[in-house]
Amino acid sequence: MSVPPRAVQLNEANAFLKEHPEVLYVDLLIADMNGVVRGKRIERTSLHKVYEKGINLPASLFALDINGSTVESTGLGLDIGDADRICYPIPGTLSNEPWQKRPTAQLLMTMHEIEGEPFFADPREVLRQVVSKFTDMGLTICAAFELEFYLIDQENVNGRPQPPRSPISGKRPQSTQVYLIDDLDEYADCLQDILEGAKEQGIPADAIVKESAPAQFEVNLHHVADPLKACDYAVLLKRLIKNIAYDHEMDTTFMAKPYPGQAGNGLHVHISVLDKDGNNIFTSEDPEQNAALRHAVGGVLETLPASMAFLCPNVNSYRRFGAQFYVPNAPSWGLDNRTVALRVPTGSPDAVRIEHRVAGADANPYLMMAAVLAGVHHGLTNQIEPGEPIEGNSYEQLEQSLPNNLRDALRELDDSEILNKYIDPKYIDIFVACKESELEEFEHSISDLEYNWYLHTV
């Protein structure tokens, strides 16, 4: 991937600064392995320099655990002297931050080697490598995310979250009330500011729906014919939601399972494949008879166990799973069936697509997309058949077979011959090292439940 010509980049900067003379600062953003946004803040006068020369950040940015500490076993820290790489702007991502009191803009970046080549450990580059295989076939991926989150109170109870008080009624929501419009009204100012902020930032968020738990909502992003851009939007949308909620004296969480006994937060993605003329190759009056669709589904199902570490990358991720919460726990597919891992909506022949329903909102969108597209490509090129679609409740027909904990998921990823063909094995080693480090720390901690059970009883 070549860096866009300097003149093109400078034109973008000049046009933005001319249109927004009030902007004082620019946040330079880059998403790490966990999808956490990191970076630098600069004054507006330095923006041209960033477009001309980029900015330096250490390669160890992509070896950080969830707490922001470098995992030295990745080899990206002290082993290389914590050396810098260079980050360049991603064209089209310069926009205002509508929540800031001091006018501030933001710009998404991606990391390169000093010589200019993309840096292999940037999750965006991991995805780009997979996407390039479709480009070589004359195919384009069209994708759209659905992102779930909870609004929560800024004050926790004994370190645990609680729903925020409604700005209208002053009450905390307690019931599920899926799709209830009245619950949208309770938090209307915050939710409407999210949609308006997304529009201001060029993020194609076109709807918010009430989800399956108190103060849980879902934002739908419109489909775009660029999976990298779709992931950029998802990363920026999370940041927008968090900051808009702060403005309304609330907090948010994208944690996979913040409340026992309530639905978790998912990250669904809708995927179709376009040919060189822009036609959806999944288009069909009878999707079961579409060979391209079947093969794509077959490939994703075959690679699903090995993909779980990217789809569910944290210890908490695996607490989402359960039939009552519509989180599939076995490789399965079906037509317009929300109990399966891969749902094929059947509303319109030219809108036939795959809805991938397994990942949690805590997943890194770039890595999640890379894993899913690796499966699609594997299926298309090897003509993998998916078996018969599931009709009815898949939970009653299939036993759980996907990894149900992070350690098993990491083993599946590490041992996968297929994913190692699509994702640089060096990157898989780094990802596994980081997650094993987190897992080791988690397993050495002692929970309150252990003290309650064992301190005085054994």
Side-chain angles (χ1 to χ4, degrees):
M1 181 181 70
S2 61
V3 178
R6 186 173 68 176
V8 173
Q9 298 219 13
L10 286 176
N11 286 342
E12 180 174 283
N14 287 334
F16 182 86
L17 293 176
K18 183 178 180 180
E19 186 178 352
H20 300 283
E22 76 284 358
V23 166
L24 300 175
Y25 306 101
V26 182
D27 289 340
L28 307 177
L29 312 174
I30 192 162
D32 72 7
M33 175 182 292
N34 290 294
V36 176
V37 174
R38 305 186 186 275
K40 294 182 178 181
R41 177 169 292 173
I42 61 170
E43 295 185 344
R44 66 175 283 139
T45 53
S46 299
L47 185 61
H48 288 100
K49 183 179 178 182
V50 170
Y51 272 91
E52 287 181 318
K53 299 181 179 180
I55 61 162
N56 289 341
L57 285 171
S60 59
L61 186 146
F62 296 116
L64 300 179
D65 64 17
I66 196 65
N67 293 311
S69 299
T70 302
V71 177
E72 292 296 341
S73 57
T74 61
L76 292 182
L78 297 177
D79 285 356
I80 59 171
D82 205 21
D84 280 341
R85 297 298 187 271
I86 190 163
C87 300
Y88 292 107
I90 297 171
T93 63
L94 182 58
S95 64
N96 277 327
E97 295 178 345
W99 59 85
Q100 296 284 8
K101 293 180 180 178
R102 296 178 178 85
T104 305
Q106 67 181 28
L107 178 61
L108 206 56
M109 313 288 285
T110 186
M111 187 174 283
H112 294 248
E113 298 284 1
I114 298 300
E115 296 79 13
E117 288 299 306
F119 185 54
F120 81 100
D122 184 336
R124 198 176 192 274
E125 172 60 14
V126 172
L127 172 58
R128 193 193 68 83
Q129 291 286 348
V130 178
V131 172
S132 68
K133 296 182 181 298
F134 290 90
T135 305
D136 292 343
M137 296 172 65
L139 299 175
T140 299
I141 299 297
C142 191
F145 282 103
E146 297 173 351
L147 177 64
E148 294 174 347
F149 66 97
Y150 278 91
L151 290 174
I152 59 175
D153 202 291
Q154 289 185 329
E155 293 187 8
N156 295 331
V157 178
N158 297 323
R160 303 199 174 202
Q162 61 178 337
R165 293 190 183 277
S166 161
I168 295 177
S169 68
K171 299 177 182 178
R172 298 189 195 280
Q174 300 295 327
S175 57
T176 298
Q177 302 295 1
V178 64
Y179 302 129
L180 187 68
I181 292 294
D182 288 350
D183 275 18
L184 295 178
D185 290 340
E186 293 283 350
Y187 301 98
D189 287 347
C190 177
L191 299 176
Q192 194 58 40
D193 282 352
I194 288 171
L195 288 179
E196 291 177 2
K199 183 177 181 180
E200 183 175 348
Q201 292 194 318
I203 300 171
D206 58 8
I208 293 183
V209 297
K210 172 67 177 64
E211 267 299 333
S212 304
Q216 187 190 33
F217 301 93
E218 176 185 276
V219 179
N220 299 329
L221 287 164
H222 197 64
H223 63 270
V224 290
D226 182 343
L228 289 162
K229 187 169 288 188
C231 293
D232 293 343
Y233 289 145
V235 166
L236 295 176
L237 178 63
K238 288 179 75 170
R239 185 167 186 261
L240 173 75
I241 291 170
K242 288 180 179 183
N243 284 285
I244 294 295
Y246 292 150
D247 269 0
H248 288 268
E249 299 182 347
M250 288 182 282
D251 207 340
T252 54
T253 184
F254 297 89
M255 185 177 177
K257 186 77 167 182
Y259 296 113
Q262 297 286 0
N265 287 319
L267 180 64
H268 297 175
V269 65
H270 294 249
I271 289 175
S272 54
V273 182
L274 310 181
D275 65 19
K276 59 182 176 59
D277 297 317
N279 300 311
N280 179 10
I281 68 172
F282 296 159
T283 295
S284 180
E285 294 284 351
D286 183 0
E288 261 190 271
Q289 303 306 314
N290 183 301
L293 175 66
R294 290 199 320 273
H295 296 156
V297 168
V300 176
L301 293 180
E302 186 173 316
T303 56
L304 192 51
S307 301
M308 286 295 287
F310 288 145
L311 307 175
C312 302
N314 300 304
V315 173
N316 177 260
S317 304
Y318 296 86
R319 302 192 190 279
R320 279 178 60 238
F321 289 83
Q324 70 272 36
F325 300 121
Y326 288 89
V327 185
N329 52 22
S332 55
W333 77 292
L335 305 180
D336 206 20
N337 186 340
R338 286 185 168 85
T339 72
V340 296
L342 304 183
R343 169 179 173 257
V344 177
T346 58
S348 171
D350 59 356
V352 173
R353 60 196 183 275
I354 298 170
E355 180 191 6
H356 196 293
R357 298 176 53 81
V358 180
D362 57 337
N364 181 316
Y366 301 107
L367 298 179
M368 171 201 174
M369 183 76 80
V372 174
L373 294 185
V376 171
H377 188 273
H378 170 68
L380 290 175
T381 54
N382 292 280
Q383 299 184 349
I384 307 295
E385 289 291 342
E388 294 298 314
I390 297 292
E391 296 182 9
N393 188 345
S394 71
Y395 303 105
E396 295 178 348
Q397 302 175 52
L398 302 172
E399 292 187 4
Q400 177 174 326
S401 60
L402 293 173
N404 64 1
N405 64 82
L406 182 57
R407 187 170 295 284
D408 286 346
L410 292 172
R411 290 192 184 111
E412 290 273 4
L413 173 62
D414 214 15
D415 294 342
S416 173
E417 293 183 8
I418 297 173
L419 285 191
N420 273 265
K421 294 177 182 177
Y422 287 91
I423 296 173
D424 191 333
K426 291 189 301 180
Y427 183 76
I428 291 178
D429 288 345
I430 288 171
F431 182 87
V432 170
C434 280
K435 290 301 167 182
E436 285 184 339
S437 175
E438 291 178 13
L439 192 55
E440 183 177 357
E441 183 174 348
F442 176 83
E443 290 177 341
H444 278 84
S445 67
I446 301 175
S447 68
D448 289 344
L449 190 60
E450 289 172 89
Y451 285 120
N452 292 337
W453 280 5
Y454 307 125
L455 187 62
H456 298 294
T457 57
V458 294

